[in-house]
Amino acid sequence: MRAIARFISGRGTAWVVLGLSVVAIGLLFALLPKGSSDSYPESGLPDSSEAAQVSALLEQFPSADSTAAILVYDRGGDALTDADKAAVTASAEALASDSIAPQAVVPQFSDDGTAALVAVPLDAAEVDDDVQAAAERIRTTAADGLPDGLTALLTGPLGFQADIGNAFAGADFRLLLVTVIVVAVLLIITYRSPVLWIVPLAVVGTADGLARIVVTSLAEPLGITVDASIAGILSVLVFGAGTNYALLLVARYREELTRVDDRHRAMLTAVTSAGPAIAASGGTVALSLLTLLFAQLAGNRALGVACAIGVAIAVLFALIVLPAALVVCGRGLFWPFIPRVQKDAGVGTEHKGVWMRLGRGVQRRPAVVAVVATLGIAALALGLNGGRVGLSQTDQLIGDPDSVVAQRIVDEAFGAGLTGQTVVLTPDAAVADATALADGVDGVVSVRAGESHDGLTRLDLTLDAEPQSDEAFTLIQTLRTDYASSPAPLDQTLVGGNDATALDENTAAAADQALIIPLILAIVFLILALLLRSLVAPVLLIASVLATFFASLGASNLIFQNLMGFPAFDANVVLFAFLFLVALGVDYNIFLTTRAREETVAHGTREGMVRALSSTGGVITSAGILLAAVFAVLGVLPVVALTQIGVIVCIGVLLDTLVVRTVLVPSLVFLTGDAFWWPSHPARRGSQARGNKLEA
C-alpha cells in the first residue's frame, strides 16, 4: 500500500492522480446510462409466499388489470345533510365516467349517517403509468360542486399509493440539500476554517453523485429495484461514511504537518497510517451490507447491493481523490489555523490535553468506569420493555395524509376492514365449502364470490379489523390454518390480498433478521481478528457494540411511544438499525484500536490506549456527531420507517462515540492489559525491538 500512497501523495504524481480522477469521474457521469429510482417501494416477497402466489395467480384473472379508488365523504363527524347526500350521489355519477365499471360506482352511506363511501374501479395499467395524475384527477372530480364543509378524501389502493409517492416526491433533493447543509456546518465547526471544509465536502458530494449513477445504471442488469427509500438511505450512508473517512484522514494529515515540513511526506504517512483503518472500516460496512443478498425480501437485497456499492465508492474517494486534492492545495487550505512544524510535536496535539486527561482518569479507575458505563447502557436497554414490531397501514406515514384520515373515518363509520382487500382463491369444486368456512371464522364480516379462471374461484372477504393490524394478521393466519387442515380439494385454498401481503412481509423480515444478524457478527469478528491480530479484542468490541444497539433501541422505543406517537417499530427497522449501528459503530472502534496497537508497540498496552484516545478522541467524536446528524436527516421524510432508522442510528452512534469508545472500551483495555491483544503480543515485540536497538 505504501507504493500506492507514495504515488497518490507525490509532488508531481498527486496532480496526475487528481487529473485522472477528474477525467474518469467525468467519463462515468457522461457514459453510464441514467437510470431512475421508483418512488413507490415494492414488497418483493419471495415466490414461496402464499400472498405472492395469490398475486401471481390473480394476474391471469380477467380483472387483473383493475384497481380501485375509494372516496370517503364526511363533514367532520357531523351527520350528512340531504344536500350532502345529493352532492355525493352527483359526485359518484361524475366519477363513474372515469371508471371501467360505471355501474359499480354507487354511493354507500354509513348507518350513523356521518359518512359516505364511493368505490371507483379503474384501469390498473393507466393508473400505474402516472399514479399522481390519476389520484389528482379523481380528487378533483370528487371535490367538484360539494357543499361547504363536506370533504372528499381519497383512500384505498390508489390513495395510499399516491400518498406514499407524495412522501417521497422530491426526496432526493430534500435529503441532499439538508445533508449538504448539515455536513458543511459541522465541517466548518470541526476544522475552524472557512476554506478547508470545501474539499472534503466536494469529494464526498461527488462520490455520492457517482454512487447514485452507478447504482441506478446497474439496477436492471443486477435485477434489483431501487426505490426512493433506498436512494435516500444510500445518500445518507455515502455522506456519513465518506465524511467520517475524510475526517480521519485530514486529522492524521494535520497531525503529520506539525512534524514535518514536506506536506507530501506528511500525506504519505497519513495515508499509510489511516488508510488500513479506513479500508477495514469500509470493508466491514460493505461486507455487512452484502449479507442482505441472502435476504428473502427483494427490497432488502436491493438495499444491500446499492449501499455496498456506495460505501466502496466512498472508500475509494477517501483514499485516492481526497489525499491528492489535499496535498495539491497545500498547507494554506487550513487557514487561518495553518499547522506548522513543532519541535515537541507529539500525538494528538490539538485535543491532547482534554483527551489525555480523560484517558488518565479512566486508567486510574477502569473497573468503576466499566461498571458505571455498563449499568447506564443497560438502563437504556430496559426501554425495550413493551416494544412491538409491525405498523398498521395508517401508522406508516407521518402526519395526516388523505388516505390515512379517510381510513380512520371508514374504520369508525363503516367498520375497520371495509377497505381492506383479503382475497381467497379456492378450487371451483370447493367454493361452497370455502365460503362456509370463511363465514364461520369470527371476525370475517362478509364473503363474496367473484370471477373464476383456470379452475380457481376468487372470494373477496371483508374483515372486522383495521388493515395491516395484529387483529387482521391473526384472522389471516386463522383462515390459512383452517383451509390447510381441511380435506381436499379445500386444502388447496390460498389466502392473499393486502393484509396477507403485509403479514408475509413481516414474516420474511423476521426470517431475514434471524439469518442476517449472525452473518454480520461473523464478518465483523473476522475483520477485527485479522486487523487487530487478536481473538479477545473482537469479542469485547462486538459486545460493546451490541450493548449500544440494544440501548439505542430501548431509548428510541421510549421516544417513539411517548414523544412521537409511533406505536411500534416498522418490520425492517430493527435489521437495518442493527446493520448500520454494528457496521458503523465498529468503525470508531477500528479507528481507536488500530491506533492503540500502533502506540502499544512503542509504549505498552495501557499507555498506548491513553495515547490512542488522546490522538483520536477529537476526530472520532467529531465524526460520530456528524454521522449522527446525517442519519437524523432521514427524519425530513414523512415516512415512519425512515424516521425510526434515523433516530435509532443517531442515538446509537452518539452512545458509541461519547460513551462506548470514549470510556467503556478504554476501561476494558486497561482491565485486560496485554491479554486484550491475545494471541499476539505487540507490547512484547516493541519491548524486544527497543532492547535490540539499545544493544546495537
Side-chain angles (χ1 to χ4, degrees):
M1 184 175 183
R2 190 171 182 82
I4 298 175
R6 183 177 290 109
F7 186 80
I8 293 171
S9 59
R11 192 171 301 277
T13 53
W15 285 96
V16 175
V17 170
L18 191 59
L20 290 176
S21 298
V22 171
V23 171
I25 294 167
L27 289 174
L28 288 172
F29 271 102
L31 298 179
L32 284 176
K34 305 298 186 293
S36 60
S37 59
D38 295 335
S39 61
Y40 188 75
E42 298 180 353
S43 65
L45 282 172
D47 294 338
S48 58
S49 157
E50 191 165 328
Q53 293 176 45
V54 170
S55 297
L57 290 169
L58 286 176
E59 290 178 2
Q60 308 303 318
F61 275 61
S63 63
D65 294 331
S66 68
T67 186
I70 297 177
L71 280 304
V72 179
Y73 300 79
D74 94 308
R75 185 176 280 281
D78 296 333
L80 301 181
T81 66
D82 291 339
D84 292 339
K85 294 178 181 179
V88 171
T89 301
S91 179
E93 293 173 356
L95 289 166
S97 62
D98 285 331
S99 176
I100 59 176
Q103 70 282 0
V105 185
V106 293
Q108 178 182 352
F109 295 95
S110 64
D111 292 338
D112 61 6
T114 61
L117 183 148
V118 175
V120 186
L122 299 171
D123 184 278
E126 291 183 6
V127 170
D128 289 341
D129 285 342
D130 195 335
V131 172
Q132 298 303 328
E136 185 60 29
R137 185 175 66 251
I138 294 295
R139 285 181 174 130
T140 301
T141 302
D144 186 33
L146 294 182
D148 291 342
L150 181 64
T151 59
L153 303 175
L154 178 64
T155 187
L158 176 59
F160 276 101
Q161 191 171 353
D163 285 341
I164 290 175
N166 282 331
F168 287 110
D172 290 354
F173 176 76
R174 275 184 291 163
L175 277 175
L176 184 61
L177 178 62
V178 177
T179 301
V180 168
I181 292 173
V182 168
V183 171
V185 170
L186 291 176
L187 285 178
I188 292 172
I189 294 173
T190 300
Y191 292 139
R192 295 177 297 164
S193 168
V195 182
L196 177 59
W197 65 275
I198 297 174
V199 174
L201 183 60
V203 171
V204 175
T206 306
D208 172 62
L210 183 60
R212 286 167 171 261
I213 291 180
V214 171
V215 168
T216 53
S217 64
L218 291 177
E220 186 174 349
L222 293 176
I224 63 175
T225 299
V226 180
D227 60 55
S229 64
I230 292 176
I233 293 175
L234 171 65
S235 274
V236 166
L237 187 60
V238 171
F239 262 97
T243 309
N244 270 357
Y245 304 148
L247 284 171
L248 183 68
L249 181 72
V250 172
R252 192 61 189 263
Y253 175 49
R254 188 172 193 165
E255 181 182 322
E256 294 302 322
L257 287 175
T258 64
R259 298 177 176 179
V260 295
D261 284 318
D262 187 353
R263 68 178 188 272
H264 301 279
R265 182 180 164 193
M267 181 58 75
L268 173 63
T269 303
V271 173
T272 53
S273 299
I278 292 174
S281 300
T284 302
V285 178
L287 288 175
S288 297
L289 285 162
L290 288 177
T291 61
L292 290 175
L293 288 173
F294 297 100
Q296 294 184 23
L297 292 173
N300 288 352
R301 296 196 296 272
L303 178 74
V305 172
C307 291
I309 292 173
V311 169
I313 291 174
V315 171
L316 289 176
F317 271 67
L319 293 180
I320 298 176
V321 181
L322 181 61
L326 289 171
V327 80
V328 162
C329 291
R331 289 177 183 262
L333 192 63
F334 290 89
W335 182 87
F337 300 100
I338 300 175
R340 303 296 183 186
V341 176
Q342 302 173 15
K343 293 181 180 180
D344 58 345
V347 294
T349 55
E350 184 178 355
H351 295 281
K352 184 173 181 178
V354 174
W355 297 102
M356 181 69 79
R357 286 196 296 274
L358 177 62
R360 297 292 184 206
V362 175
Q363 186 181 23
R364 283 193 293 271
R365 296 181 178 273
V368 174
V369 171
V371 170
V372 171
T374 301
L375 290 176
I377 292 172
L380 289 177
L382 292 176
L384 270 175
N385 287 333
R388 294 172 46 247
V389 176
L391 294 170
S392 67
Q393 190 176 49
T394 55
D395 291 327
Q396 294 175 9
L397 296 175
I398 296 175
D400 292 314
D402 284 1
S403 58
V404 172
V405 175
Q407 184 61 51
R408 290 173 183 157
I409 295 171
V410 171
D411 292 347
E412 294 176 3
F414 291 94
L418 183 63
T419 59
Q421 287 186 322
T422 298
V423 179
V424 171
L425 293 183
T426 190
D428 292 342
V431 172
D433 292 336
T435 302
L437 188 152
D439 271 330
V441 174
D442 188 24
V444 176
V445 177
S446 66
V447 183
R448 301 179 304 280
E451 59 191 349
S452 298
H453 175 76
D454 197 22
L456 293 174
T457 296
R458 170 176 176 158
L459 304 179
D460 291 298
L461 277 58
T462 299
L463 308 181
D464 186 18
E466 180 185 353
Q468 299 183 22
S469 63
D470 290 341
E471 293 78 9
F473 294 156
T474 299
L475 286 172
I476 296 297
Q477 290 171 326
T478 300
L479 287 166
R480 285 176 170 175
T481 301
D482 289 351
Y483 281 128
S485 60
S486 299
L490 187 57
D491 62 342
Q492 301 302 311
T493 301
L494 300 174
V495 180
N498 291 347
D499 289 335
T501 297
L503 171 62
D504 289 351
E505 286 177 351
N506 290 350
T507 302
D512 288 348
Q513 183 176 312
L515 174 65
I516 301 302
I517 287 179
L519 289 177
I520 294 173
L521 292 176
I523 287 173
V524 171
F525 178 86
L526 182 61
I527 290 177
L528 287 174
L530 293 174
L531 181 68
L532 301 177
R533 284 164 284 177
S534 168
L535 296 178
V536 175
V539 173
L540 295 178
L541 295 179
I542 289 175
S544 69
V545 174
L546 284 175
T548 303
F549 168 69
F550 287 110
S552 63
L553 279 185
S556 299
N557 186 53
L558 295 175
I559 292 173
F560 294 155
Q561 293 192 2
N562 299 307
L563 297 180
M564 305 183 76
F566 301 157
F569 294 104
D570 184 78
N572 281 318
V573 160
V574 174
L575 175 60
F576 292 164
F578 180 86
L579 171 63
F580 294 133
L581 272 181
V582 171
L584 294 172
V586 166
D587 273 6
Y588 301 125
N589 285 320
I590 287 176
F591 297 158
L592 174 66
T593 53
T594 52
R595 185 61 181 264
R597 186 178 179 89
E598 180 182 331
E599 298 289 350
T600 294
V601 174
H603 304 285
T605 297
R606 292 180 173 84
E607 180 63 21
M609 175 52 71
V610 173
R611 290 173 174 264
L613 184 61
S614 171
S615 60
T616 64
V619 64
I620 293 180
T621 300
S622 299
I625 293 173
L626 189 146
L627 183 64
V630 168
F631 264 92
V633 170
L634 283 173
V636 304
L637 297 179
V639 180
V640 171
L642 294 183
T643 298
Q644 288 183 336
I645 291 173
V647 171
I648 294 170
V649 175
C650 176
I651 292 174
V653 168
L654 289 177
L655 278 175
D656 193 79
T657 304
L658 302 177
V659 178
V660 174
R661 187 270 315 161
T662 304
V663 296
L664 182 56
V665 170
S667 67
L668 294 176
V669 173
F670 296 141
L671 288 172
T672 55
D674 291 343
F676 184 78
W677 307 110
W678 185 88
S680 64
H681 300 281
R684 184 186 304 170
R685 285 201 301 273
S687 178
Q688 291 174 349
R690 290 191 297 273
N692 293 336
K693 186 179 295 185
L694 289 174
E695 292 177 2

